[in-house]
Amino acid sequence: MSWQTYVDEHLMCDIDGTGHHLSAAAIVGHDGSIWAQSSNFPKCQPKEITDIMKDFDEPGHLAPTGLHLGGAKFMVIQGEPGAVIRGKKGSGGVTIKKTAQALVFGIYEEPVTPGQCNMVVERLGDYLAEQGL
């Protein structure tokens, strides 16, 4: 299966038959290379990915400055140290799941809830991790 298929069919999918879906999603290598992304995923700067990777290694690194994606600032909220980073911006937010080789991003806006975004992103992230990816 191509990486783009994972984004299109597993991240940008209809959530639980509600007709709602994430507003943007991507799978990005630890080095910042884009493996696949939705058409509207923000253009990330290398420093943004470096800072995210550093927060996985040193939980709390992003808390003082916020999480930046494509220049947009998200307030960091509780995640799972070393595994999941969650951010909030207005009525939406972001969930980032780290696997052995990649970062799985999901960005949402209302009516999608933080819990729905977490479920979609973490489910794919867990699957990829089980595959050694």
Side-chain angles (χ1 to χ4, degrees):
M1 188 180 313
S2 78
W3 291 112
Q4 192 62 50
T5 303
Y6 282 113
V7 169
D8 296 342
E9 295 182 7
H10 297 277
L11 293 174
M12 297 301 290
C13 61
D14 181 335
I15 300 171
D16 295 335
T18 60
H20 304 131
H21 52 82
L22 300 179
S23 49
I27 301 173
V28 179
H30 287 181
D31 62 357
S33 61
I34 304 290
W35 293 8
Q37 64 184 2
S38 62
S39 59
N40 53 352
F41 190 77
K43 173 99 176 88
C44 295
Q45 301 303 313
K47 181 176 180 351
E48 294 173 337
I49 301 299
T50 303
D51 283 344
I52 290 166
M53 287 300 296
K54 185 167 184 175
D55 195 80
F56 279 116
D57 294 335
E58 301 171 25
H61 168 73
L62 290 173
T65 59
L67 162 70
H68 292 83
L69 272 185
K73 181 179 178 179
F74 294 81
M75 181 178 67
V76 178
I77 55 177
Q78 182 182 4
E80 295 169 30
V84 179
I85 297 171
R86 297 185 182 111
K88 186 91 174 115
K89 179 177 185 281
S91 63
V94 62
T95 301
I96 308 166
K97 170 76 176 179
K98 182 182 179 195
T99 70
Q101 299 177 27
L103 301 173
V104 180
F105 288 82
I107 299 174
Y108 67 94
E109 294 291 338
E110 284 184 341
V112 174
T113 67
Q116 288 171 319
C117 181
N118 296 342
M119 179 193 65
V120 169
V121 171
E122 293 175 40
R123 186 167 47 197
L124 179 60
D126 289 342
Y127 171 78
L128 295 176
E130 288 167 11
Q131 305 306 308
L133 302 169

